């Protein structure tokens, strides 16, 4: 599978925008709280909710179908690693108060070995998720 191709689906910039400080990340946090159950949430549903796509809508179904490569393979999958990092960033507390941290997703080559790694920069308070071997949202 090449790049995610549905015209109305979010691209990499759109996905990263939902984690920008201010209004965007607080909207994402509110949605996360609704979706987060039993220590996790279903990969892809946070961006779907952010974009206002209800389960069963064409956009939701197209989005979730395009994300299937991220959920395939041995555990933890790429999706599991992304969810874990995003959950940690959104659940961050400062002095006992909610203080969600920015997440930046970066895609490398969509071919080659599948890999998802994350890092945290304490100077900028940004989590970076590096993704390779998976389709790149366009």
């Amino acid at each position: 599978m090449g790049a995610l191709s549905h015209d109305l689906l979010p691209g990499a910039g759109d996905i990263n925008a939902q984690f920008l400080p201010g209004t965007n990340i607080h909207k994402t946090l509110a949605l996360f709280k609704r979706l987060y159950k039993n220590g996790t949430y279903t990969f892809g549903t946070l961006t779907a909710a952010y974009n206002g796509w209800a389960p069963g809508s064409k956009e939701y179904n197209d989005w979730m179908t395009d994300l299937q490569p991220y959920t395939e393979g041995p555990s933890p999958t790429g999706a599991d690693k992304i969810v874990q990092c995003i959950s940690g960033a959104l659940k961050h507390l400062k002095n006992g108060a909610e203080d969600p941290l920015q997440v930046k997703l970066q895609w490398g080559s969509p071919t080659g070995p599948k890999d998802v790694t994350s890092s945290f920069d304490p100077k900028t308070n940004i989590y970076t998720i590096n993704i390779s071997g998976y389709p790149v949202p366009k």
Side-chain angles (χ1 to χ4, degrees):
M1 177 182 210
L4 303 181
S5 59
H6 298 281
D7 291 339
L8 299 177
L9 298 182
D14 301 312
I15 294 167
N16 281 317
Q18 80 184 70
F19 299 103
L20 289 175
T23 303
N24 292 14
I25 200 161
H26 287 287
K27 175 183 175 181
T28 301
L29 176 61
L31 294 166
F32 172 79
K33 289 178 180 179
R34 279 195 347 218
L35 297 168
Y36 190 76
K37 307 274 189 257
N38 302 315
T40 193
Y41 68 94
T42 302
F43 179 68
T45 59
L46 188 57
T47 295
Y50 187 86
N51 286 287
W53 305 328
S57 69
K58 179 178 179 356
E59 294 85 0
Y60 182 93
N61 292 341
D62 287 348
W63 177 244
M64 297 305 282
T65 297
D66 278 355
L67 295 179
Q68 285 179 347
Y70 289 82
T71 64
E72 298 168 348
S75 186
T77 65
D80 295 332
K81 293 175 184 179
I82 294 168
V83 164
Q84 181 180 19
C85 182
I86 289 173
S87 295
L90 293 176
K91 293 185 336 184
H92 181 260
L93 301 175
K94 183 175 183 178
N95 300 322
E98 292 178 345
D99 183 40
L101 299 175
Q102 183 177 347
V103 177
K104 182 178 180 184
L105 293 93
Q106 299 181 119
W107 283 265
S109 174
T111 60
K114 292 181 177 184
D115 192 28
V116 174
T117 60
S118 61
S119 60
F120 177 71
D121 183 347
K123 291 179 182 172
T124 61
N125 282 338
I126 296 175
Y127 279 96
T128 300
I129 302 173
N130 292 296
I131 303 165
S132 59
Y134 291 95
V136 179
K138 296 271 180 187

